Amino acid sequence: MLNRHDPSLSGSGQPVIDYVPSLDGAGHVLIIQGLNMAGTQATADTLFNSDAMKPILQQASSSGSLQSFELLVETSSIGATAPRAEIIATRFHPE
């Protein structure tokens, strides 16, 4: 487990994962973003983590189709890597 007060940590971040309607309304777009490469990689790792995403996808698809959602992910980075990522907030948008 990382010690948040460890001076070797180069920072922390709160990257996001968004699944939102496309601008033309014909589909959806998946946005994965962080303030740096470590944050962006942490969101990708979270997205492909079935234990983390299963409850999110179950809740987002409760109406039979996948509704839009936003996820706030917390990371701590060491250099250019983010060894730990955790979903700390969710927001679901009714279609």
Side-chain angles (χ1 to χ4, degrees), residues 4 8-9 15 26 32-33 40 42 44-45 51 54 58 60-61 64-65 67-68 75 78 80 83-84 86-87 90 92:
R4 291 180 187 243
S8 69
L9 291 177
I32 302 170
Q33 63 182 351
T40 303
D45 292 346
D51 291 335
K54 186 176 181 178
Q58 285 176 335
S61 63
S65 64
Q67 68 184 33
S68 300
T75 70
I78 300 174
R84 179 190 63 79
E86 177 183 3
I87 297 171
T90 59
F92 296 92

Side-chain angles (χ1 to χ4, degrees), residues 13-42:
Q14 294 178 329
V16 297
I17 299 171
D18 298 314
Y19 179 73
V20 294
S22 61
L23 292 176
D24 64 4
H28 283 79
V29 63
L30 180 65
I31 302 169
I32 302 170
Q33 63 182 351
L35 292 177
N36 55 34
M37 190 61 190
T40 303
Q41 182 64 47

Side-chain angles (χ1 to χ4, degrees), residues 15-17 32 38-57 69 71-75 82-89:
V16 297
I17 299 171
I32 302 170
T40 303
Q41 182 64 47
T43 59
D45 292 346
T46 300
L47 187 62
F48 292 109
N49 179 334
S50 61
D51 291 335
M53 291 303 299
K54 186 176 181 178
I56 302 297
L57 295 174
F69 61 85
L71 306 176
L72 182 62
V73 180
E74 183 177 56
T75 70
R84 179 190 63 79
E86 177 183 3
I87 297 171
I88 59 170

Side-chain angles (χ1 to χ4, degrees), residues 1-12 76-78 84:
M1 182 164 197
L2 291 175
N3 178 350
R4 291 180 187 243
H5 303 292
D6 185 337
S8 69
L9 291 177
S10 62
S12 63
S76 294
S77 60
I78 300 174
R84 179 190 63 79

